[in-house]
Amino acid sequence: MIEMNLYLLKPVQAIKKEHSVRQVRDEFFINHSDNCFISIGNEGAMKKYFSPSKRLFTEALLVWHDAKRLTDFHFCETNLLPELVELAGAYMENNADVKTRVNQNQLDVEYRRIDGQNVRLYATKGDSELVNAVVPEQEFFRSLLQTCKDYFLALAAYGTEQEYFQKKLIRLETFYDRYKKSYS
């Protein structure tokens, strides 16, 4: 079973102004000492710490397969989830391996076809391998699309560029159509 959770990065200093270090460590996931991650499901924190006029966020996607964590908070980049969905769309349309550099930084992500049932998720950042995992293809893409839909709906509900994210949801429907064609 594939599970995904999405977190947005926020500098710890922006949160420490209102909370003690202990509260920050208890309430948010901290990566190193200068950044923390807030779950998109934490409505109060999302509304409080993220500007409604912002369109791009630094996102970390945690992925589990059969209770084994495949990614960690190093699998993080600006606009990561929408880029992964775009790549998934290309994979489903072309029925072949695809690769992209996320946000023109050092994060390279690939989906490699293993067989008709599985796909290899492979990601590197510079010389470091972040992810190298084989997952059930259909289940992975379904979970990826659903996580992205939940993300866009949450951002629109939190008042974050509502019109922009409504358009993103419409675009996401084209990927759902490709998914249905690929796996029906």
Side-chain angles (χ1 to χ4, degrees):
M1 183 169 142
I2 299 284
E3 291 182 47
M4 294 183 185
N5 290 325
L6 187 69
Y7 297 85
L8 302 185
L9 181 136
K10 191 72 175 176
V12 169
Q13 293 303 337
I15 295 172
K16 281 185 184 177
K17 292 175 186 173
E18 297 179 39
H19 299 280
S20 70
V21 174
R22 185 166 183 250
Q23 279 180 300
V24 172
R25 291 189 189 282
D26 289 344
E27 289 186 45
F28 306 104
F29 292 89
I30 295 180
N31 178 35
H32 309 298
S33 60
D34 53 350
N35 293 313
C36 66
F37 292 90
I38 299 172
S39 170
I40 63 163
N42 186 338
E43 183 177 350
M46 288 289 295
K47 285 182 177 179
K48 187 172 190 174
Y49 295 112
F50 293 97
S51 168
S53 63
K54 197 168 180 185
R55 289 184 178 179
L56 292 176
F57 300 96
T58 301
E59 306 152 359
L61 182 65
L62 272 58
V63 180
W64 289 266
H65 177 242
D66 291 336
K68 179 183 175 196
R69 190 165 82 179
L70 305 178
T71 65
D72 61 19
F73 287 108
H74 291 99
F75 190 52
C76 174
E77 189 57 66
T78 302
N79 208 34
L80 175 65
L81 186 58
E83 291 279 346
L84 293 175
V85 168
E86 290 284 339
L87 189 63
Y91 179 90
M92 289 182 280
E93 185 173 2
N94 299 325
N95 205 16
D97 296 355
V98 289
K99 180 179 182 175
T100 192
R101 176 158 281 176
V102 177
N103 203 30
Q104 300 305 314
N105 283 329
Q106 293 182 3
L107 181 63
D108 292 311
V109 180
E110 293 180 55
Y111 298 136
R112 296 180 187 163
R113 180 170 294 286
I114 300 298
D115 54 31
Q117 304 295 317
N118 297 296
V119 63
R120 180 176 302 280
L121 172 60
Y122 185 74
T124 59
K125 195 168 206 170
D127 293 333
S128 300
E129 183 179 87
L130 300 180
V131 185
N132 187 357
V134 175
V135 293
E137 184 176 302
Q138 184 176 355
E139 188 179 345
F140 176 77
F141 290 131
R142 181 180 55 241
S143 186
L144 185 70
L145 291 169
Q146 185 61 51
T147 301
C148 193
K149 182 178 181 179
D150 293 345
Y151 178 43
F152 291 160
L153 287 171
L155 290 175
Y158 301 156
T160 307
E161 284 285 323
Q162 289 178 332
E163 187 176 313
Y164 174 78
F165 286 106
Q166 290 297 336
K167 289 178 183 175
K168 289 286 216 178
L169 282 166
I170 291 167
R171 171 104 173 106
L172 188 60
E173 287 302 317
T174 62
F175 296 117
Y176 269 109
D177 290 343
R178 281 186 202 160
Y179 174 83
K180 290 172 190 169
K181 287 179 186 174
S182 295
Y183 300 108
S184 58

